[in-house]
């Protein structure tokens, strides 16, 4: 609607010593920044809801007072005209620019409607400055003012709602005013803010809240001090976890960054049956749980986890265990009725910080220990230190190399990169730490029983292989599974050495294992796990320097048979030769395996003799034929698995 704004006359403002009068009323010139700080402090002291109620009622009183001034200035004007003056008053007072876009007044029918936009609201500016964007409208004083001034002019209760607000990201601050009857249930929530609660009552409530917070904070500090004393006095992580659980009478679980359980406390249930309470990240990246977990990792503070789309998930408070920017694990407290929500959250957060110190101490100790172990292993492998000295050092370090031991050599390879070693040292360090975690969490053996070092781009594990020691094949499998989860486009080749019973043969066994790794790499067998004792003579022969000569020899020996099969469009003769030799030239066994008649097989064997010029009674020729088949298979010319 078109609105005419009356100009501000100089006569409307009077200046007297210590007084400013506007249209006959005494006004106080106040800085908008000061009002913004007042709102900020009210929100901080009373809480958002109580501060909103106080500021709405304050605005109401200001508006109602202005309605009296407006009616006195225009005693005979219509209700519509008076309502047009209210926004003008507000603009002349420097509060906000008002764009009045709709006005309808019918006193007889008890109907009222006003709509418009507030432009350059100081409340928006100040709220964004102190709190940033929020989810609800914030022009509380303006809303209260509009309600108060319209109620005073109309003579019946009129309430306004801010339906959009710049402080919540909207393009404009739009307001709508109606009578209570016209609003109906849509105004019920807003009416609660206009109650008769006095500021003294608000302050008294705030004081009680502050006292409660002070008491809780004091308790939290006492608990934090207790936990710190336990940690600094050398008490175990389990003792600290037990203390937390007893304080809250709730199930407490500490898991590492891969969600493997480290310690837990179950009230009256012993230390069993922890599985139902563990955090188990959903593989569905769009799940509610995963989204909350990602938010937890980003914000790095305690959060309540209530997941609606997982019926088996127990409500809990989770705090990440953080050192610097690194998340080392998670501490969970299962929700228990009767526990104060704020207390549980604060204790969980404090406990996580204590756990961070504990895990950091453990990590530092392990790194120091493995550095010393690495130096020992390096000297052992390099052969620069006499065996007698190494035996003595091993004794003081608690190792008995008289028991069976094995090496495990791990080589990380970038896929599609000529099988070169990974140059990124952080990747190798991460894989080494993974290997250490696997030994610690999946086997009865302590990681102290294993020596792990990163050497010349490869990771070396030396550990006991007796019945109570490490299961090397299983470790290798778990490590490759973890590698696929953690690293993209990375493969690991793993070679496990023969077993040793003496420290003086370890260097030779390592050299043998290292050479076998090179052999398998030359054969193109990357991303596999193999034991040295399972590698056959052919692999060693074909991986040697005469590979080209062997290929030429094999091709020449089987050339006529290959040509015949190529022209006939199959692998009939090559497959028959392979199966016939594998069955030691036994016609019955070969016939059964090839699923052909005995007469049909005799025909094929005769073709082999005629075309390939083969004498199956000649032992050396049969051996050479088998060798030629394996060479072509290794080269990829034929595939013996498909023949």
């Amino acid at each position: 609607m078109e609105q005419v704004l009356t100009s501000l006359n100089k006569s409307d403002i009077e200046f007297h010593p210590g007084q400013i009068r506007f249209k006959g009323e005494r006004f106080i010139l106040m800085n908008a920044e000061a009002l913004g700080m007042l709102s900020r402090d009210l929100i901080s002291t009373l809480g958002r809801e109580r501060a909103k109620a106080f500021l709405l009622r304050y605005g109401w009183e200001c508006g109602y007072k202005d309605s009296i001034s407006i009616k006195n200035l225009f005693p005979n004007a219509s209700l519509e005209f008076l309502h047009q003056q209210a926004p003008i008053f507000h603009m002349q007072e420097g509060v906000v620019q008002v764009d009045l876009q709709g006005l309808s007044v019918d006193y007889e029918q008890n109907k009222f409607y006003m709509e418009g936009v507030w432009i350059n609201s100081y409340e928006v500016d100040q709220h964004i400055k102190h709190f940033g964007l929020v989810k609800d409208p914030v022009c509380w004083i303006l809303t209260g003012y509009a309600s108060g001034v319209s109620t005073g002019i109309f003579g019946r209760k009129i309430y306004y709602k801010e339906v959009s607000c710049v402080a919540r990201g909207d393009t404009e601050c739009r307001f709508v005013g109606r009578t209570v009857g016209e609003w109906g249930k849509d105004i019920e929530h807003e009416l609660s803010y206009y109650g008769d609660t006095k500021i003294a009552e608000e302050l008294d409530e705030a004081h009680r809240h502050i006292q409660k917070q002070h008491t809780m904070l004091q308790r939290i500090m006492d608990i934090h001090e207790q936990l710190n004393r336990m940690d600094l006095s050398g008490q175990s992580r389990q003792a600290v976890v037990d203390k937390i659980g007893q304080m809250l009478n709730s199930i407490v679980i500490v898991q590492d960054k891969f969600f493997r359980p480290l310690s837990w406390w179950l009230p009256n249930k012993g230390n069993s049956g922890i599985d139902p309470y563990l955090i188990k990240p959903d593989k569905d990246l769009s799940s509610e749980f995963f989204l909350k977990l990602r938010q937890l990792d980003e914000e790095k503070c305690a959060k309540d986890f209530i997941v609606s789309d997982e019926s088996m998930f127990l409500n809990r408070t989770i705090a990440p265990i953080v050192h610097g920017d690194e998340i080392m694990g998670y501490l969970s407290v299962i929700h228990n009725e009767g526990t104060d929500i704020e207390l549980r959250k604060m204790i969980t957060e404090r406990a996580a910080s204590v756990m961070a110190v504990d895990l950091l101490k453990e990590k530092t100790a392990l790194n120091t220990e493995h550095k010393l172990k690495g130096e020992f292993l390096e000297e052992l492998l390099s052969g620069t230190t006499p065996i007698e000295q190494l035996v003595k050092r091993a004794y003081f370090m608690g190792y008995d190399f008289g028991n069976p031991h094995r090496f495990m050599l791990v080589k990380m390879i970038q896929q599609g990169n000529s099988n070169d070693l990974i140059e990124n040292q952080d990747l190798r360090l991460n894989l080494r730490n993974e290997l250490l975690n696997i030994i610690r969490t999946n086997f009865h053996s302590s990681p102290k029983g294993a020596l792990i070092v990163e050497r010349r781009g490869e990771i070396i594990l030396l550990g006991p292989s007796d019945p109570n020691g490490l299961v090397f094949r299983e470790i290798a499998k778990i490590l490759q599974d973890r590698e696929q989860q953690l690293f993209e486009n990375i493969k690991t080749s793993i070679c496990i050495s023969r077993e040793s019973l003496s420290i003086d043969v370890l260097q030779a066994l390592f050299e043998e294992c290292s050479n076998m790794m090179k052999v398998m790499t030359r054969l193109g067998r990357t991303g596999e796990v193999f034991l040295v004792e399972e590698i056959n003579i052919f692999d060693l022969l074909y991986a040697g320097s005469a590979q080209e000569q062997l290929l030429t020899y094999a091709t020449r020996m089987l050339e006529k048979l290959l040509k015949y099969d190529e022209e006939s469009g199959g692998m009939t003769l090559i497959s028959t030769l392979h199966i016939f030799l594998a069955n030691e030239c036994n016609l019955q066994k070969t016939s059964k395996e090839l699923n052909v008649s005995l007469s049909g097989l005799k025909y094929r064997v005769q073709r082999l003799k005629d075309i390939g010029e083969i004498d199956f009674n000649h032992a050396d020729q049969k051996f050479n034929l088998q060798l030629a088949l394996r060479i072509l298979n290794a080269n990829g010319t034929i595939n013996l698995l498909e023949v």
Side-chain angles (χ1 to χ4, degrees), residues 154-402:
F154 195 65
R156 296 168 185 172
K157 289 290 180 66
I158 293 173
Y159 290 97
Y160 283 76
K161 290 178 67 173
E162 189 179 10
V163 295
S164 66
C165 183
V166 173
R168 69 176 189 185
D170 298 327
T171 57
E172 61 185 9
C173 295
R174 178 169 291 275
F175 61 88
V176 175
R178 293 188 176 99
T179 64
V180 177
E182 290 175 296
W183 276 118
K185 291 185 178 180
D186 290 342
I187 201 66
E188 286 181 358
H189 180 66
E190 279 72 13
L191 291 179
S192 63
Y193 293 111
Y194 292 94
D196 294 331
T197 305
K198 302 295 187 293
I199 186 62
E201 295 174 13
E202 295 284 8
L203 291 174
D204 186 54
E205 177 63 28
H207 179 66
R208 286 195 295 270
H209 180 70
I210 291 170
Q211 282 186 318
K212 180 184 176 183
Q213 290 291 99
H214 176 74
T215 303
M216 185 179 296
L217 183 61
Q218 186 61 52
R219 185 179 175 189
I220 291 293
M221 295 305 295
D222 291 342
I223 291 171
H224 189 61
E225 187 177 347
Q226 287 182 54
L227 297 178
N228 273 332
R229 279 203 303 268
M230 291 178 69
D231 189 48
L232 293 173
S233 64
Q235 295 194 42
S236 67
R237 179 192 305 139
Q238 187 60 55
V240 176
V241 171
D242 291 347
K243 186 70 174 177
I244 299 165
Q246 291 160 8
M247 289 173 177
L248 293 172
N249 192 31
S250 299
I251 296 169
V252 179
I253 309 110
V254 178
Q255 294 175 254
D256 69 10
K257 62 181 178 180
F258 302 116
F259 301 99
R260 294 172 294 210
L262 299 177
S263 303
W264 57 86
W265 185 80
L266 302 177
N268 304 319
K269 295 181 182 178
N271 284 333
S272 61
I274 189 62
D275 191 66
Y277 308 108
L278 297 176
I279 306 172
K280 298 174 182 177
D282 197 319
K283 293 182 180 179
D284 179 6
L285 302 187
S286 63
S287 69
E288 180 183 357
F289 177 84
F290 181 82
L291 295 175
K292 288 190 174 185
L293 184 63
R294 187 171 63 183
Q295 184 182 17
L296 178 76
D297 290 347
E298 289 172 353
E299 297 182 11
K300 293 183 175 62
C301 62
K303 285 191 173 294
D304 289 331
F305 265 58
I306 300 172
V307 182
S308 59
D309 62 358
E310 291 188 34
S311 58
M312 300 300 292
F313 185 81
L314 296 171
N315 297 341
R316 66 191 66 203
T317 300
I318 306 176
I321 302 171
V322 182
H323 172 63
D325 289 329
E326 179 189 0
I327 293 179
M328 305 172 71
Y330 300 88
L331 187 142
S332 296
V333 176
I334 306 299
H335 289 181
N336 189 24
E337 290 186 12
T339 304
D340 185 276
I341 296 173
E342 291 186 60
L343 179 66
R344 178 174 57 220
K345 197 169 186 178
M346 294 175 75
I347 288 180
T348 303
E349 198 154 78
R350 295 300 190 283
S353 66
V354 174
M355 285 294 106
V357 175
D358 181 77
L359 290 179
L360 181 61
K361 281 169 32 183
E362 181 181 272
K363 181 179 178 181
T364 303
L366 285 174
N367 285 341
T368 302
E369 180 181 352
H370 281 278
K371 182 180 179 182
L372 294 173
K373 290 179 178 180
E375 291 172 354
F376 173 82
L377 189 56
E378 177 65 38
E379 291 183 44
L380 175 66
L381 300 181
S382 64
T384 56
T385 304
I387 289 293
E388 295 76 14
Q389 293 185 24
L390 291 175
V391 170
K392 188 179 295 185
R393 284 175 58 187
Y395 172 78
F396 286 115
M397 292 172 69
Y399 292 103
D400 181 6
F401 287 108

Side-chain angles (χ1 to χ4, degrees), residues 258 260 370 407-411 427-443 445 447 450-454 458-462 470-472 474-480 482-483 486-487 494:
F258 302 116
R260 294 172 294 210
H370 281 278
F407 282 104
M408 188 170 86
L409 184 60
V410 183
K411 179 179 180 182
L427 284 179
R428 298 198 301 268
L429 181 61
N430 287 339
L431 193 67
R432 190 209 74 169
N433 291 337
E434 275 308 303
L435 183 56
L436 180 62
N437 286 332
I438 289 167
I439 295 171
R440 180 171 55 199
T441 57
N442 291 278
F443 298 93
S445 294
L451 292 168
I452 302 175
V453 64
E454 193 268 325
E458 297 175 327
I459 298 163
I460 303 165
L461 162 66
L462 173 62
L470 304 177
V471 185
F472 282 81
E474 192 172 343
I475 291 174
K477 182 181 182 303
I478 296 172
L479 183 63
Q480 287 195 327
R482 289 298 302 153
E483 158 252 310
L486 293 174
F487 311 114
I494 300 175

